[in-house]
Amino acid sequence: MTGKLLDGCRVLIVEDELLIAMVLEENLEDAGATIVGMAGSLADALALIEREAFDAAVLDARLDDEPVTAVADALAAGAIPFVFHSGYGPEHLPAQHRHRPLLRKPSDPAAVVLALRDALG
């Protein structure tokens, strides 16, 4: 379906719903990506950003009802492209990141792959 559009791409998944994170992991790996880590909390996400090298990220808009502003800011500061994957609309995204791609849950797996590929340029 999506081929290997993300061959060689190292991706961080930031998602607090384990089942959704696992589906994202499987779909991204099927597209050729390597998942460097999955974070379900703000603290875990920030620690992985500090510790791991990766090319792109998929970021839920809220983790345990907390906005992900600090995570989005850290990714932007490191010039790491990312896409939001959320059940919330754009009004719930951090204002300074509303220009980033937003995929609404439930999303088509191919759409996530294509959005990441586009974000990578």
Side-chain angles (χ1 to χ4, degrees), residues 9 53 97 114 121:
C9 181
H97 299 291
L114 290 172

Side-chain angles (χ1 to χ4, degrees), residues 7-24:
D7 263 347
C9 181
R10 297 170 50 81
V11 178
L12 172 66
I13 296 172
V14 181
E15 169 62 61
D16 61 351
E17 294 183 45
L18 182 59
L19 184 57
I20 292 173
M22 291 169 59
V23 169
L24 284 170

Side-chain angles (χ1 to χ4, degrees), residues 2-121:
T2 55
K4 298 292 182 185
L5 295 176
L6 297 177
D7 263 347
C9 181
R10 297 170 50 81
V11 178
L12 172 66
I13 296 172
V14 181
E15 169 62 61
D16 61 351
E17 294 183 45
L18 182 59
L19 184 57
I20 292 173
M22 291 169 59
V23 169
L24 284 170
E25 177 183 35
E26 181 178 349
N27 292 329
L28 295 173
E29 286 176 342
D30 286 349
T34 299
I35 306 305
V36 299
M38 292 195 289
S41 70
L42 293 173
D44 289 348
L46 293 170
L48 280 168
I49 290 169
E50 293 261 327
R51 188 172 69 237
E52 297 291 337
F54 55 95
D55 304 306
V58 178
L59 179 59
D60 193 355
R62 297 184 73 78
L63 299 174
D64 292 326
D65 267 345
E66 301 253 358
V68 293
T69 306
V71 176
D73 288 347
L75 291 168
I80 298 167
F82 63 94
V83 299
F84 287 104
H85 185 251
S86 177
Y88 294 99
E91 68 279 4
H92 288 60
L93 300 179
Q96 65 272 35
H97 299 291
R98 287 189 185 144
H99 65 285
R100 309 246 180 216
L102 169 62
L103 297 127
R104 298 289 299 268
K105 295 177 191 174
S107 62
D108 174 15
V112 177
V113 170
L114 290 172
L116 265 183
R117 186 198 63 185
D118 290 349
L120 285 160

